[in-house]
Amino acid sequence: MLDYKLLHALATVVECGGFERAGDVLGLSQSAVSQRLKALEVRLGQPVLIRHPHLAPTPAGQRLLTHYQQVQLLERDLRGSLPTLDDPAPRLRIAINADSVVTWWAEAIADICQAEGLLLDLVIEDQDVGLKRLRDGDVAACLCATPQPIAGARSLALGEMHYHPLASPDYAARHFPEGPSDDAFQKAPAIVFGPHDQLQHQFLAQCGYHGRFPYHLCPSSEGFIRLAAAGIGYGMMPQLQTHALIDSGQLVSIAPGQALSVPLYWHYWRHSGTLVQRLTERLSQVTLT
Amino acid sequence: MLDYKLLHALATVVECGGFERAGDVLGLSQSAVSQRLKALEVRLGQPVLIRHPHLAPTPAGQRLLTHYQQVQLLERDLRGSLPTLDDPAPRLRIAINADSVVTWWAEAIADICQAEGLLLDLVIEDQDVGLKRLRDGDVAACLCATPQPIAGARSLALGEMHYHPLASPDYAARHFPEGPSDDAFQKAPAIVFGPHDQLQHQFLAQCGYHGRFPYHLCPSSEGFIRLAAAGIGYGMMPQLQTHALIDSGQLVSIAPGQALSVPLYWHYWRHSGTLVQRLTERLSQVTLT
């Protein structure tokens, strides 16, 4: 049997981002926390933490943390049938795309958070990367664009999010005075969420443009919209998040009629306890548009 | 002299997040890109890329990328005096706190982006972590809460951002019916941006509470506000970003009169060329409140 106080120390150090703060939370000295992690590494025969560039679990440490989280979820179900056991709220680690977390997500899960005392540990990832996190055992569930579940997991189709190529009216007039064209695409600075974000590339391919284009990188969903509204660039933005700015004339489409739809799937481990089951039932009722 | 086409290949692979896409951008086959990186690793005597859990530069690779970016910035200045040289737009890598990128940042730098043809590569980091990125040579400049510049760099005070402990009226009535108290803080789920975010801890210490508290983790500035507005938790949110929601009654303070101020400083390398200089001049005129 594993010594769970060692795993608890590892989880706390990772969550707090340091030994000193973890010690404060655990009511231990920094050196006592450090000793627990050493004991874990001796037991395992390899390191569980890397310190540079940021404090983070090694792949082996991450497997331990996933296991620790799964045991916690199972204990939570146990406490449901043995209510006299002490019941700290569980924290569920979920990979979610940035555009969901700033639009439909909060309203959809508010009731269940309150009813179940659920605490969220959200990890923001592009639609295409979240599933890798689930496969790596880093999260208990994820929202992503891929329909196929991985082995041991299930997927649930939630619907589609619709994206339009938007810019400020001033920017549109400056860079696309005659609408979209290869020449305009080659020169107009776009905005891209991050290296994994392919929406802009897909949009340009849909318009028949396959060349290079200048772009800003902005891995903040709301920041992306602020850059566009300030006339710094144009980019693919979700309808759910921008309809008010379109209605008020602060953003316009640079290619009216052109849009991209991104499907969203909820992926979760088959044996992840009743909490994930209830969350899944709730998400099955969500309407994205 | 370094072979800059090898550095360009490395930069493109990191930026595109893969060899195949980098090949598309560079007009090379995937295996040609791979050969360039191997040549770079032979020259250096150590790896420049790690592939798991995500494709990312090693610390040595990151040093090369920083150097490559600095050379690009110097070349940009050269092109200013030799305008017949071809002039692709430079991309400036800046670490910025999430709350700035969703509030004052875009308006402040819109003019300079347009006038200089500047492309941004924004990296979202907590106020307290950005400086580490600058020290590691990962970014050309950063916004952070620390006043002291690191060796070789300068800092510029921009002002302060003000944070208030906000929640939905429903949540406030449910968890803080009699205002803040140790008992309420112990039970009411808070929202924390990430493991490096200490605002919630500081706020509780300011209220005289030093115990544990339940919290959600949500590393999205706008997502944070959505969770609060949906009644899922309370947390420290910037005045600049929430005044409209406060005015409309969607968010209220759970401890009126309590606030935290976070100073913001712009840090940049002393010898980083005229573009960073101009950006610095522009930021010296910013008003945060």
Side-chain angles (χ1 to χ4, degrees):
Chain A
M1 190 79 193
L2 281 169
D3 183 349
Y4 283 89
K5 81 173 180 300
L6 307 186
L7 292 190
H8 185 47
L10 173 62
T12 311
V13 167
V14 169
E15 194 176 297
C16 298
F19 285 77
E20 195 178 332
R21 282 186 223 145
D24 290 348
V25 168
L26 295 168
L28 292 171
S29 70
Q30 196 175 332
S31 105
V33 174
S34 181
Q35 277 167 20
R36 290 196 178 180
L37 292 208
K38 266 184 210 137
L40 191 59
E41 293 182 331
V42 167
R43 168 81 197 264
L44 194 68
Q46 58 175 300
V48 296
L49 272 184
I50 49 174
R51 282 151 201 260
H52 296 287
H54 296 291
L55 196 68
T58 61
Q62 188 56 61
R63 296 309 289 254
L64 289 178
L65 288 176
T66 307
H67 169 77
Y68 179 66
Q69 186 183 48
Q70 285 175 329
V71 171
Q72 280 189 305
L73 286 169
L74 292 175
E75 282 193 12
R76 183 181 176 281
D77 290 351
L78 176 70
R79 282 192 202 95
S81 38
L82 297 172
T84 51
L85 281 172
D86 171 41
D87 190 8
R91 189 174 291 134
L92 200 62
R93 190 164 166 88
I94 297 173
I96 182 170
N97 61 319
D99 293 333
S100 286
V101 85
V102 301
T103 53
W104 60 272
W105 172 256
E107 285 292 338
I109 52 101
D111 289 351
I112 205 165
C113 281
Q114 194 184 327
E116 304 281 337
L118 166 65
L119 294 176
L120 301 169
D121 178 0
L122 300 178
V123 180
I124 312 290
E125 278 293 6
D126 270 17
Q127 293 92 319
D128 303 325
V129 184
L131 201 57
K132 195 178 167 324
R133 291 254 194 186
L134 186 68
R135 193 184 297 117
D136 291 348
D138 183 25
V139 296
C142 83
L143 279 166
C144 81
T146 310
Q148 290 81 17
I150 59 177
R154 292 183 200 278
S155 72
L156 170 74
L158 300 183
E160 293 188 329
M161 288 185 77
H162 303 291
Y163 289 78
H164 297 274
L166 303 176
S168 71
D170 176 61
Y171 180 97
R174 200 161 69 236
H175 290 280
F176 296 96
E178 286 153 28
S181 70
D182 286 4
D183 190 51
F185 287 140
Q186 199 187 338
K187 291 178 189 155
I191 314 173
V192 168
F193 189 81
H196 299 291
D197 176 16
Q198 287 295 300
L199 279 182
Q200 179 66 25
H201 301 75
Q202 283 171 28
F203 161 70
L204 291 174
Q206 185 168 299
C207 294
Y209 181 74
H210 299 276
R212 300 190 67 165
F213 59 96
Y215 58 90
H216 304 274
L217 284 164
C218 179
S220 155
S221 201
E222 184 72 13
F224 191 119
I225 290 175
R226 299 277 172 146
L227 291 181
I232 291 173
Y234 78 104
M236 300 304 288
M237 285 165 254
Q239 192 172 323
L240 267 180
Q241 198 183 358
T242 48
H243 53 76
L245 291 169
I246 293 171
D247 290 351
S248 70
Q250 290 172 269
L251 290 175
V252 297
S253 174
I254 61 116
Q258 291 278 14
L260 284 175
S261 295
V262 175
L264 270 187
Y265 294 84
W266 170 248
H267 291 256
Y268 57 101
W269 293 115
R270 243 176 248 171
H271 304 291
S272 44
T274 53
L275 185 61
V276 173
Q277 247 168 49
R278 271 185 216 145
L279 196 52
T280 303
E281 276 157 29
R282 176 69 196 88
L283 291 177
S284 71
Q285 298 152 17
V286 160
T287 316
L288 294 192
T289 43
Chain B
M1 192 78 193
L2 281 169
D3 183 348
Y4 282 91
K5 81 173 180 295
L6 307 187
L7 293 190
H8 185 47
L10 173 63
T12 311
V13 167
V14 169
E15 195 176 297
C16 298
F19 285 77
E20 194 179 334
R21 284 185 221 146
D24 290 346
V25 168
L26 295 168
L28 293 171
S29 70
Q30 196 175 332
S31 105
V33 174
S34 179
Q35 277 167 21
R36 290 196 178 180
L37 292 209
K38 266 183 208 138
L40 192 58
E41 293 183 330
V42 167
R43 168 80 197 265
L44 194 68
Q46 58 175 300
V48 295
L49 273 183
I50 49 175
R51 283 152 200 259
H52 297 285
H54 296 291
L55 196 67
T58 61
Q62 189 57 60
R63 296 308 289 252
L64 289 177
L65 289 175
T66 307
H67 169 77
Y68 179 67
Q69 185 181 50
Q70 285 174 331
V71 171
Q72 280 189 305
L73 286 169
L74 291 174
E75 281 194 11
R76 183 180 175 282
D77 289 352
L78 177 71
R79 282 192 200 95
S81 40
L82 297 172
T84 52
L85 281 172
D86 169 41
D87 190 9
R91 189 174 292 135
L92 200 61
R93 190 165 166 89
I94 297 172
I96 181 170
N97 61 320
D99 293 333
S100 286
V101 84
V102 302
T103 54
W104 61 272
W105 172 256
E107 286 291 338
I109 51 101
D111 289 351
I112 204 166
C113 281
Q114 195 184 328
E116 304 281 338
L118 166 64
L119 294 177
L120 301 169
D121 178 0
L122 300 178
V123 180
I124 311 291
E125 278 292 6
D126 270 17
Q127 292 93 320
D128 304 324
V129 185
L131 201 57
K132 193 177 168 325
R133 291 255 195 184
L134 186 68
R135 193 184 296 118
D136 291 348
D138 183 25
V139 296
C142 82
L143 278 166
C144 81
T146 310
Q148 290 80 17
I150 59 178
R154 292 183 201 278
S155 73
L156 170 74
L158 300 184
E160 293 188 328
M161 288 186 76
H162 303 289
Y163 290 78
H164 297 273
L166 303 176
S168 71
D170 177 62
Y171 180 96
R174 200 161 68 235
H175 290 280
F176 296 96
E178 286 153 29
S181 70
D182 285 5
D183 190 52
F185 287 141
Q186 198 189 339
K187 290 179 191 155
I191 313 172
V192 167
F193 189 81
H196 299 291
D197 176 15
Q198 287 294 300
L199 278 183
Q200 179 67 24
H201 300 75
Q202 283 170 31
F203 161 69
L204 291 175
Q206 185 169 299
C207 294
Y209 181 75
H210 299 275
R212 300 191 66 165
F213 59 96
Y215 58 90
H216 303 275
L217 285 163
C218 179
S220 156
S221 202
E222 184 72 12
F224 192 119
I225 290 175
R226 298 278 173 146
L227 291 182
I232 291 172
Y234 78 104
M236 300 302 290
M237 285 165 253
Q239 193 171 324
L240 267 180
Q241 198 182 358
T242 49
H243 53 75
L245 291 170
I246 293 172
D247 290 350
S248 69
Q250 290 172 271
L251 289 176
V252 296
S253 174
I254 61 115
Q258 290 278 14
L260 284 174
S261 294
V262 175
L264 269 188
Y265 294 84
W266 170 248
H267 292 255
Y268 57 102
W269 294 114
R270 243 176 247 171
H271 305 292
S272 45
T274 53
L275 185 61
V276 173
Q277 248 168 49
R278 272 185 214 145
L279 196 52
T280 302
E281 277 156 30
R282 177 68 195 88
L283 292 178
S284 70
Q285 299 152 20
V286 160
T287 315
L288 293 192
T289 43

